[in-house]
Amino acid sequence: MSVGKMAYGRNVAWLVCGALVLMGWVAPLLHAQTVQVDPKLPEYEKVPGVSGNLVGIGSDTLNIMMDMWLKEFQKIYPTVTGAYRGEGSSTAPPALIEGTAQLGPMSRAMKPEEIDKFEKKFGYKPTQIVVAIDCLAVYVHKDNPIQGLTLPQVDAIFSSTRKLGHPTDIRTWGEAGLTDPAWVNLPISLYGRNSVSGTYAFFKEHALGKGDFKDTVKEQPGSAGVIHGVANERAAIGYSGIGYRTADVRTVPLAKSANSPFVEPTFENALKGDYPLARSLYIYVNKKPNEPLPLLVAEFLKFVLSKQGQEIVVKDGFGPLPLKIVMRERQKLE
């Protein structure tokens, strides 16, 4: 992940991760363990004059988190109304451009063409706010004994193009490395997100080398649908954010190559730069240069970037931001 149109968002998660590692602030993201919010984060303090209707349209990955943020924000400001539609990251840029939403949550960075359309309409670029860290995980059924997969293997399982260099297509669990007779000849059943999803786009870029998905992937409109499909089909494999993990599925350790170690999708490994599918989660807003955001939008984002807001990030199973990154993001609101 990095900075600059395409580079900006793609590298920002690694920029965040690198900054956190330098600070020595690491915490595991697995549900069974405790993720600690940085104790130095500012408490959110209520301000006068906040009211109105707040609308967000965008990423399904942030569905639960946005719902919890809005509900807690409305407890502080009972006169505020709010709604969120998590239909996929690709729905966020048009909503911001058309003015049908003030908040555009995305699980990937905006594409250059999306930024260009926004800039053509308003004369300036949208403002990107990092709100959490995620590990995009590869899931299998809880009974699947696979010990790990390389990214080239993942590519050969999900894609028809094999851009990452695996020599052969992988269609059975035996071809993926299992030797148990009960699994060797079992065809792999594929689950994934639909094309409006930021998770789909991120996985396509980073796990498929921008290659093409097989037409046998059963595309789901939401992340929970992927997990449900994998949980209910013994031979299944799918991908989704770490916050959607349940007891009925397993996350598969991943390696960058055949010569690299398998790495679990934990927050600590993401921060160290070891897990290959770590990413930032964002909220995009329409902010005029050198002008503050509308009070309602600004205060909501300040709440998200507060101790209370980041505690909600942890509750939803994602990785919270430390003070250094929170303060950097809050400066963008001014």
Side-chain angles (χ1 to χ4, degrees):
M1 312 187 189
S2 284
V3 185
K5 276 187 176 177
M6 178 89 62
Y8 177 70
R10 197 183 311 147
N11 290 326
V12 126
W14 292 117
L15 186 66
V16 172
C17 291
L20 302 188
V21 172
L22 288 174
M23 295 174 65
W25 190 87
V26 293
L29 184 56
L30 296 178
H31 289 174
Q33 298 172 311
T34 301
V35 181
Q36 297 295 326
V37 170
D38 189 331
K40 297 178 182 178
L41 289 185
E43 296 272 355
Y44 181 77
E45 297 182 2
K46 184 177 180 179
V47 300
V50 177
S51 63
N53 186 44
L54 193 59
V55 178
I57 296 175
S59 169
D60 166 80
T61 299
L62 282 91
N63 238 338
I64 298 172
M65 200 147 45
M66 280 294 298
D67 184 60
M68 290 193 290
W69 278 332
L70 284 168
K71 285 180 179 177
E72 290 303 312
F73 191 68
Q74 288 170 306
K75 288 180 182 178
I76 301 170
Y77 301 104
T79 59
V80 170
T81 57
Y84 182 63
R85 296 209 317 263
E87 300 173 348
S89 292
S90 293
T91 63
L96 291 177
I97 292 170
E98 295 161 12
T100 55
Q102 304 109 304
L103 306 170
M106 298 183 71
S107 61
R108 61 165 174 82
M110 272 198 194
K111 299 175 183 178
E113 57 267 28
E114 293 169 330
I115 294 173
D116 289 343
K117 287 180 182 178
F118 184 99
E119 191 170 13
K120 184 176 181 181
K121 173 75 177 287
F122 297 104
Y124 51 87
K125 292 177 172 59
T127 296
Q128 179 200 67
I129 308 296
V130 177
V131 295
I133 301 296
D134 183 25
C135 290
L136 184 56
V138 172
Y139 292 92
V140 293
H141 189 274
K142 63 182 176 62
D143 295 334
N144 191 316
I146 194 78
Q147 295 300 301
L149 293 168
T150 67
L151 283 188
Q153 283 180 307
V154 172
D155 181 32
I157 290 170
F158 280 95
S159 84
S160 58
T161 47
R162 302 201 307 276
K163 295 273 189 177
L164 298 190
H166 196 273
T168 58
D169 189 17
I170 296 178
R171 293 189 176 273
T172 68
W173 281 108
E175 292 169 343
L178 293 185
T179 58
D180 187 325
W183 289 87
V184 168
N185 296 317
L186 203 58
I188 299 174
S189 179
L190 306 174
Y191 284 84
R193 293 299 312 283
N194 54 18
S195 60
V196 301
S197 162
T199 299
Y200 170 103
F202 185 92
F203 193 79
K204 178 181 174 72
E205 179 173 350
H206 295 273
L208 307 189
K210 301 183 181 179
D212 298 323
F213 281 95
K214 291 176 179 175
D215 56 15
T216 53
V217 178
K218 292 178 273 292
E219 295 187 351
Q220 306 298 307
S223 298
V226 174
I227 301 302
H228 180 77
V230 174
N232 286 279
E233 193 171 350
R234 186 165 171 265
I237 190 170
Y239 60 89
S240 186
I242 194 67
Y244 282 84
R245 188 174 63 171
T246 70
D248 297 318
V249 295
R250 285 183 56 231
T251 56
V252 180
L254 300 180
K256 296 175 184 177
S257 69
N259 298 320
S260 303
F262 291 123
V263 180
E264 294 277 359
T266 68
F267 188 37
E268 181 178 3
N269 289 333
L271 295 178
K272 290 189 294 185
D274 292 341
Y275 185 68
L277 296 182
R279 61 179 177 172
S280 288
L281 301 179
Y282 312 98
I283 293 179
Y284 282 85
V285 291
N286 182 345
K287 181 184 180 300
K288 294 180 180 179
N290 304 315
E291 291 188 22
L293 282 165
L295 182 63
L296 174 60
V297 177
E299 288 305 312
F300 177 78
L301 291 173
K302 286 178 184 177
F303 172 76
V304 168
L305 296 170
S306 71
K307 183 179 180 183
Q308 297 97 311
Q310 291 299 296
E311 285 172 347
I312 288 173
V313 170
V314 173
K315 287 179 183 178
D316 198 22
F318 295 97
L321 304 174
L323 179 65
K324 182 176 181 178
I325 304 304
V326 161
M327 299 311 293
R328 185 193 69 189
E329 297 306 300
R330 285 173 72 117
Q331 286 180 352
K332 299 177 184 178
L333 310 180
E334 299 174 358

